[in-house]
Amino acid sequence: MSPIAPTVQSFFTERLATQRRVSPRTIASYRDSLKLLFVFVQQRIGKAPNVLDWDDLDTETISAFLDHLETERHNNPRTRNLRLTAIRALFTYAALRHPEHAALIQRVLAIPAKRFDKRLVSFLTAAEVEALLDAPDRTRWEGRRDRALLFVAAQTGLRLSELIDLDCGDVSFGPGANVRCLGKGRKHRAVPFTSTTQAVLRVWMAELGGQSDQPLFPTRTGRRLSSDAVQRLVRQHAATAARRCPSIRADKLHPHVLRHSCAMSLLHAGVDTAVIALWLGHADIRSTNVYLHADMTIKQRALDLTTPATAHPGRYRPHDTLLAFLESL
């Protein structure tokens, strides 16, 4: 039997960090998934993680862990599949270092991802976005910061991780005003600002007075906001906005909805989906097609172009002999 600890350590230090050079967020995601797995196994069989061997991680144990995520931790199928992806990555690496466990590793790699229903994306209408942007209390420092953050999020469609990683030096004003970010797959992109967003951000940055390497949206102590903090402030301001715009459901509103709202506003403006994919940093344009499914205005336009229900079926047959001759040519 082979201990798993040395392989896990080299998986993170050699495979992920050195060979693949994955992002810190990917490393953190894999780390959290494997920590959850090892703690579960420890509670299940009573062995400390540093003395576990590969036979302790058979298909029965991995399947029980995945069931535990859904039943005990109440994770949805997407999160379950994300944890399984980390496990598969580790076992794929282990297959090269431990051929003696090839049969066990192949059985684990054969565990399928769970299928799930794909729901339509949720987004805010223009009126709802306006109500949310007006919700922060501009008499308070936190309110002015939150308002600038919401303007940037709703207009640029940045991911939550991209938003909280922004520094003051990532913003450019003047002609071609934009914000630069590092997205998934280590891809840099620049997203332009509207004049309104640029004006709000100018005022905020003048008050902040931060250096180029300091967070654009910091806490009172100058630290970077956490993802949980941003989620809390979005729901807090959504609750305030709901009093003005009752259609806003604060309990269902999270930062990613602002990204969806940005995409839908671009789509309603007639922007091509390929451009929207570049705007949002999608690696595949198929990721952008979900907005086409959610946009009822596009479907309504398609319906308006179809044949009216009152039209008589069948092919057109001219009654005039001359028209019949011309039709036959």
Side-chain angles (χ1 to χ4, degrees):
M1 293 187 291
S2 306
I4 68 172
T7 303
V8 172
Q9 292 176 1
S10 61
F11 170 68
F12 281 97
T13 58
E14 295 179 14
R15 172 55 63 90
L16 296 182
T18 304
Q19 297 175 358
R20 294 184 57 192
R21 294 190 65 230
V22 301
S23 69
R25 294 193 178 277
T26 299
I27 292 178
S29 176
Y30 283 16
R31 175 204 65 200
D32 294 342
S33 298
L34 296 179
K35 281 174 61 179
L36 287 171
L37 172 62
F38 297 150
V39 170
F40 171 80
V41 175
Q42 182 180 22
Q43 295 173 347
R44 181 182 172 93
I45 65 176
K47 290 179 68 174
N50 66 322
V51 296
L52 290 175
D53 56 58
W54 294 103
D55 288 340
D56 295 321
L57 301 179
D58 55 12
T59 53
E60 180 183 354
T61 301
I62 300 298
S63 297
F65 168 68
L66 296 174
D67 291 339
H68 161 77
L69 293 177
E70 292 191 89
T71 59
E72 301 297 328
R73 296 181 61 87
H74 306 292
N75 292 159
N76 58 37
R78 290 180 182 271
T79 303
R80 173 198 183 274
N81 292 343
L82 183 65
R83 304 303 185 195
L84 179 58
T85 298
I87 295 171
R88 283 176 171 174
L90 173 63
F91 274 73
T92 300
Y93 177 68
L96 304 175
R97 298 173 60 94
H98 299 282
E100 69 276 14
H101 295 292
L104 180 147
I105 290 172
Q106 288 304 313
R107 287 194 294 270
V108 170
L109 292 176
I111 297 176
K114 191 166 187 176
R115 298 179 67 113
F116 53 88
D117 295 334
K118 295 182 179 180
R119 300 179 179 178
L120 293 177
V121 297
S122 56
F123 61 95
L124 300 178
T125 64
E128 291 170 339
V129 170
E130 182 180 356
L132 180 63
L133 296 179
D134 287 340
D137 182 1
R138 279 174 270 181
T139 64
R140 302 179 63 248
W141 184 88
E142 287 84 358
R144 294 189 292 275
R145 176 202 63 193
D146 295 353
R147 184 167 182 264
L149 184 149
L150 292 173
F151 261 91
V152 172
Q155 191 255 294
T156 63
L158 296 184
R159 299 180 178 91
L160 177 56
S161 59
E162 297 167 348
L163 192 65
I164 61 180
D165 283 344
L166 289 179
D167 292 330
C168 294
D170 295 327
V171 176
S172 297
F173 291 121
N178 67 87
V179 61
R180 299 175 300 280
C181 69
L182 178 63
K184 283 186 176 181
R186 296 181 177 274
K187 294 180 180 178
H188 292 268
R189 75 179 189 279
V191 184
F193 286 138
T194 63
S195 57
T196 305
T197 302
Q198 185 178 179
V200 171
L201 204 51
R202 274 185 183 274
V203 173
W204 164 245
M205 293 185 67
E207 177 180 357
L208 182 64
Q211 301 298 319
S212 61
D213 59 345
Q214 292 180 331
L216 180 61
F217 303 114
T219 63
R220 275 281 190 179
T221 57
R223 293 179 298 174
R224 205 173 294 276
L225 284 172
S226 67
S227 57
D228 289 340
V230 176
Q231 292 183 30
R232 284 194 300 270
L233 71 87
V234 167
R235 290 197 175 181
Q236 171 192 341
H237 297 310
T240 303
R243 294 196 287 269
R244 168 186 167 186
C245 187
S247 60
I248 294 178
R249 298 185 58 186
D251 58 328
K252 300 294 184 181
L253 188 57
H254 51 82
H256 211 70
V257 173
L258 298 178
R259 178 172 167 85
H260 294 327
S261 303
C262 170
M264 295 303 292
S265 67
L266 292 172
L267 194 62
H268 290 160
V271 179
D272 187 82
T273 53
V275 177
I276 298 176
L278 292 173
W279 188 293
L280 299 179
H282 286 163
D284 192 330
I285 194 174
R286 288 177 296 181
S287 300
T288 315
N289 288 339
V290 296
Y291 301 111
L292 292 173
H293 292 288
D295 187 9
M296 293 304 298
T297 59
I298 290 180
K299 296 176 182 178
Q300 183 61 50
R301 288 199 297 269
L303 183 63
D304 293 340
L305 293 173
T306 58
T307 303
T310 57
H312 297 290
R315 294 187 60 186
Y316 165 73
R317 297 183 181 278
H319 300 291
D320 188 269
T321 55
L322 178 59
L323 293 179
F325 166 77
L326 294 175
E327 187 72 15
S328 66
L329 295 178

